[in-house]
Amino acid sequence: MASSKPERPRLDTTIPNMGRVADYFLGGKDNFAVDREAAEAAMAITPELPVLWREGRRFLGRAVRFLAQEAGIRQFIDIGCGLPTQGNVHEIAHAVAPDARVVYVDNDPMVVVHGQALLQDDRLTVVIEADVRDPEALLSHPRLTEMIDPNEPVAILLLGVLQDIPDDALVLQITEHLRKAISPGSYMAISQPVSDLRPEATAKLAAFYQDEGAITGPRRAGLRTRSEVEPCFEGLDLVEPGVVYLPQWRPDGDVPHRPDSIWVIGGIGRKE
């Protein structure tokens, strides 16, 4: 991994934050004017963004239910959890397995403080401040190690977070580090938007977010392609149906009549 640790982020209400922008897309109220302005400008480029985020939440629900019910997972680490909204991981997991333990991780102080306040009386759920770009520090966080047994299977959720890291090599280092750290029988769930279906629009969107300061780091020409995301699952056995566009992953209802409107892929892999 990179030798220098990422700088601890501070609350800045003058720069849009991806978590708060997503909160706006999902109809939440935990966002600032700068986030709403960025969201509206982004929707001028790709009007389907709120639909994408809603499909992302539906995928999270199906993934967590599979992991808790069919895979028997009782430990969850949700990295890049974002601001609390309906259908959170602990709510879904506890509906299936009341003894499931959940650790939420985010690098946004606002997210962490809000989440800690909401969950202060939940002994099976904690919220910690850590950065996915430093997975070693994340996994060794004292609150996480109090909750998660490294010798038991765990589910790591990386849903809609890795696209905010423009450095492809760093993304692969992160997923490799996490995969090596978890015990056999563990799972990793990953989702990312991709450019394959709408290359021109997604390139404009990626440039917009970087210009706004919502994404920092080396500039990319656009979002990753499907073939650039799939290596994140290397070393894992994919759960059927593999890496697919989100509505196609074990749908429990109607699939959108325009699959090309949901240009986000996801999947779940198991460590043998």
Side-chain angles (χ1 to χ4, degrees), residues 16-61:
N17 172 274
M18 292 300 295
R20 299 194 303 262
V21 171
D23 177 72
Y24 178 76
F25 287 144
L26 292 168
K29 298 179 180 179
D30 294 306
N31 48 73
F32 299 111
V34 66
D35 305 306
R36 295 187 288 274
E37 292 170 3
E40 292 293 337
M43 284 191 290
I45 301 171
T46 48
E48 64 270 29
L49 280 174
V51 177
L52 264 64
W53 279 102
R54 289 195 293 270
E55 286 295 330
R57 297 302 296 184
R58 294 188 182 106
F59 173 69
L60 179 148

Side-chain angles (χ1 to χ4, degrees), residues 24 42 59 147 185 191 203 227 244 257:
Y24 178 76
F59 173 69
M147 186 72 69
S191 69
S227 64
V244 295
H257 69 283

